[in-house]
Amino acid sequence: MQTTALRYFLAVAREGTIAAASARLNVAPSAISRQIANLEAELACPLFERRPRGMVLSQAGELLARHAHQVLASAEQVVTEIQELEGLQRGLVRIATTEAFAIDLVPGVIAAFHARHPGIRFELSALPPGQATQRVVQGEADIGLTFSLEPSTDTAVAYRNSLDMVALCAPDHPLAERRLIGLTDLAAYPVALLPRDTTLRTILDAACAAEGIAIEPVLSANVLSAILPFVRVTSGLTLMSSIALQGQVGRGEFRVLPIRSRRSLARGIEVQTMRDRRLPRAVQAFLSVLVAALPPMGDGDGTARGSTDV
């Protein structure tokens, strides 16, 4: 089985249809169909269940998908090792992270690394936490930086910590000069929050319930890029990790307000890599720089609680 057929097969498995895989790969649908038909003929069994709304892996397809990820990762490793003969002059680092870290923190680390090693290329994907981890597990990302309510068991964890959430407001907000606020202060102003299916809302809602406080967001959005403009131009507040927007806070675009609550507002954060994988030299070098840019493990932001709290 050649790697081209396996790449096409995995693209259909990921996208759910040949048409979507064709658009992603920029390859004719007929070429993808032919490669999958060849695989099914070679293995003498169907790899997909054809359904009205798309294609789902069969049991045999699930087995092949696991094998395909390993084969493609091994092929990539050989190419990378050959390129590494030139040192850190060439290479690709693929990063999957939650949006909170994709706005400011990770691009800043990439920029600093690029200044020293301009031949290294980067691919950055902003995804929900579970999807970021899955990209790493499947070998589609080299490094994952994500929030986690429980320690990951599917990846190798290069860094784990527990970081508090803080409130974010505009510099002219009535609370901007406060050193500490409570959950009742949040409830007194318009609040913009991520949806309920996020780690942030899970932790916040539990803390509010413990104090008998109800916070109904004026704006609920699944991307921070929609929330931040609201906070800039209103008397509104939002919540996020204490290290998420350090650059913008440092430039005076926002103020950070620590929050006092009866229940911990800490969330776990992990830097993940594929388990049992030998990382390419460029990935390993960038991983070291990324971890060094994060708070020391066990230290959090100065008020960290142990990672077992989340």
Side-chain angles (χ1 to χ4, degrees):
M1 292 180 289
Q2 300 197 4
T3 57
T4 298
L6 294 179
R7 284 196 303 108
Y8 291 2
F9 162 74
L10 287 177
V12 175
R14 184 187 309 111
E15 301 298 330
T17 66
I18 288 177
S22 170
R24 179 184 178 92
L25 296 172
N26 195 26
V27 174
S30 59
I32 296 175
S33 295
R34 185 165 56 251
Q35 291 285 3
I36 290 176
N38 290 341
L39 283 175
E40 292 182 323
E42 183 178 347
L43 296 169
C45 66
L47 298 175
F48 291 95
E49 296 176 11
R50 275 71 173 177
R51 297 180 180 178
R53 294 189 177 182
M55 300 169 67
V56 178
L57 286 173
S58 65
Q59 187 174 5
E62 295 279 1
L63 291 173
L64 180 59
R66 289 197 288 271
H67 169 75
H69 285 303
Q70 295 171 355
V71 169
L72 294 179
S74 296
E76 264 186 26
Q77 183 68 38
V78 171
V79 173
T80 298
E81 289 178 1
I82 293 172
Q83 293 175 340
E84 286 176 351
L85 296 174
E86 301 180 21
L88 283 175
Q89 298 180 26
R90 300 175 63 186
L92 171 66
V93 181
R94 302 166 302 170
I95 308 156
T97 183
T98 52
E99 187 193 11
F101 300 128
I103 293 175
D104 193 296
L105 191 150
V106 174
V109 178
I110 290 174
F113 191 90
H114 171 75
R116 297 193 299 273
H117 307 291
I120 306 300
R121 297 179 296 113
F122 293 87
E123 292 179 1
L124 176 61
S125 301
L127 301 163
Q131 291 183 28
T133 298
Q134 195 62 24
R135 287 281 183 95
V136 173
V137 170
Q138 295 179 345
E140 296 172 1
D142 302 304
I143 298 171
L145 172 57
T146 184
F147 294 112
S148 60
L149 293 177
E150 296 179 355
S152 172
T153 58
D154 297 326
T155 63
V157 178
Y159 171 95
R160 179 182 293 126
N161 210 340
S162 185
L163 303 179
D164 280 334
M165 284 187 284
V166 295
L168 203 72
C169 67
D172 59 352
H173 192 280
L175 297 177
E177 301 304 320
R178 292 272 294 274
R179 293 187 177 183
L180 191 67
I181 66 171
L183 292 177
T184 52
D185 294 311
L186 287 176
Y189 291 92
V191 175
L193 294 174
L194 294 171
R196 291 191 182 277
D197 60 351
T198 58
T199 58
L200 184 147
R201 287 296 297 277
T202 299
I203 298 296
L204 175 63
D205 290 349
C208 288
E211 298 191 25
I213 297 170
I215 296 180
E216 288 296 330
V218 171
L219 170 63
S220 179
N222 65 347
V223 289
L224 288 173
S225 56
I227 289 175
L228 295 180
F230 175 85
V231 174
R232 280 193 183 96
V233 301
T234 70
S235 58
L237 299 156
T238 191
L239 276 76
M240 62 182 52
S241 168
S242 56
I243 64 169
L245 295 180
Q246 288 180 329
Q248 295 186 39
V249 171
R251 293 189 295 271
E253 298 176 30
F254 295 103
R255 293 288 176 85
V256 165
L257 307 172
I259 305 170
R260 178 185 61 250
S261 66
R262 296 177 189 169
R263 183 163 178 161
S264 170
L265 289 175
R267 284 182 294 172
I269 172 180
E270 291 187 346
V271 177
Q272 305 165 340
T273 61
M274 179 185 278
R275 189 191 300 165
D276 300 324
R277 180 190 176 198
R278 179 180 174 273
L279 296 177
R281 186 175 177 185
V283 173
Q284 184 62 62
F286 179 78
L287 176 64
S288 298
V289 173
L290 176 62
V291 169
L294 299 170
M297 286 188 281
D299 183 37
D301 60 12
T303 57
R305 302 158 176 88
S307 60
T308 54
D309 286 348
V310 296

